[in-house]
Amino acid sequence: MELRHLRAFLAVAEELHFGRAAERLHIAQSPLSQMIRALEKELGTALFARTTRKVSLTVAGEALIAPARVIEAQAAVARQVTDAAAHGEIGRVSVGFGGASGYAALSGLVRTLADEHPGIELDLRPQSYSGSVTDAVMRGALDMGVVALPAPSAVATQVLAVEDLIVAVPSDHRLAGVGVVTAAELAGERFVTYPAEHGSAVRDAAQALCAHAGFAPDFSYEAPDPFSLLAMVGAGVGVSIVVGSTRRITVDDVAYVRLAGEIPTMPIAMAWLESNPVAAVHTVVRTLRSAVDAG
């Protein structure tokens, strides 16, 4: 059963006149009559009683009106949905992120998309750190992800923030009240950090910072996310080098201390493939860029 045949049927059923129905459909009367005959042949029954003076619905024709209207309405919804998907107004976009930077970067984006593009759903994948996110985006396992720069040239990026590095210590730690410390003053401390297999850029930066200060950090404890990491610091099991946006997370018994000297910063970006066929991904990118430009 063809949709155009049902549309033709509804036009005749509502007009009860083949000429007016043909005008409404912007077709000639002859092809309209052919479509009605084809539909009647497929259904095995007459839908209209025709005389030289008038056209009327048969019992079968009356019965077909309601389901034909439902089918037409469903077809209209299908057209709207596919058009919206093709223009990036609806869709599901997977986003990998990890660490405090990821949470901070995504909070504003989620709110903006809810306001401006409510048909787009972000499938958020936490505990996905920079190295694993980059790999997943390049393989197509993730649509987008928060990464530390530099990133491979195969992925497109939009800078979200430039993070500084600070130290989280227990509130009763000897360094808690000093305000500023050097990396060298952390020698001998036990560190809480993110797992090495996650490809955490913060872990890599902490290791490099300690190495530059002349010692190898004792990564005694690992945590899968910033909340667990800070809880462990607050419990007194160790200190942690973290990004500045970690200050936004309130955890009891944790103090933050600035690092002195020429401490490298860490640009944080959203990464994606320009070749991603999901139109909603590119709507998210445009929304993200507009938000960044707006400051």
Side-chain angles (χ1 to χ4, degrees), residues 246-263:
T246 308
R247 294 186 186 96
R248 301 181 186 180
I249 303 174
T250 302
V251 176
D252 291 341
D253 301 320
V254 174
Y256 297 106
V257 184
R258 290 186 296 113
L259 280 162
E262 296 183 3
I263 306 302

Side-chain angles (χ1 to χ4, degrees), residues 81-169:
V81 168
T82 53
D83 182 67
H87 288 84
E89 288 305 317
I90 64 171
R92 188 179 179 89
V93 177
S94 57
V95 183
F97 67 101
S101 295
Y103 286 93
L106 287 174
S107 59
L109 177 61
V110 170
R111 289 193 297 270
T112 301
L113 282 172
D115 292 339
E116 298 180 6
H117 304 283
I120 295 178
E121 178 185 357
L122 292 185
D123 175 14
L124 300 178
R125 312 279 182 88
Q127 297 181 25
S128 302
Y129 291 85
S130 187
S132 58
V133 165
T134 302
D135 179 65
V137 169
M138 292 174 67
R139 289 186 290 106
L142 281 174
D143 291 315
M144 309 179 76
V146 178
V147 301
L149 296 181
S153 59
V155 297
T157 58
Q158 169 63 55
V159 175
L160 305 174
V162 178
E163 294 274 18
D164 57 338
L165 294 174
I166 60 174
V167 185
V169 300

Side-chain angles (χ1 to χ4, degrees), residues 3-18:
L3 187 58
R4 64 192 183 99
H5 291 171
L6 287 178
R7 291 198 186 106
F9 163 74
L10 286 173
V12 178
E14 291 165 4
E15 298 290 345
L16 292 178
H17 190 283
F18 274 79

Side-chain angles (χ1 to χ4, degrees), residues 200-240:
S200 167
V202 178
R203 180 188 175 114
D204 293 343
Q207 193 155 21
L209 192 65
C210 295
H212 185 71
F215 70 96
D218 176 9
F219 288 153
S220 299
Y221 303 96
E222 294 182 342
D225 58 71
F227 303 97
S228 301
L229 183 147
L230 291 176
M232 293 174 73
V233 171
V237 301
V239 303
S240 186

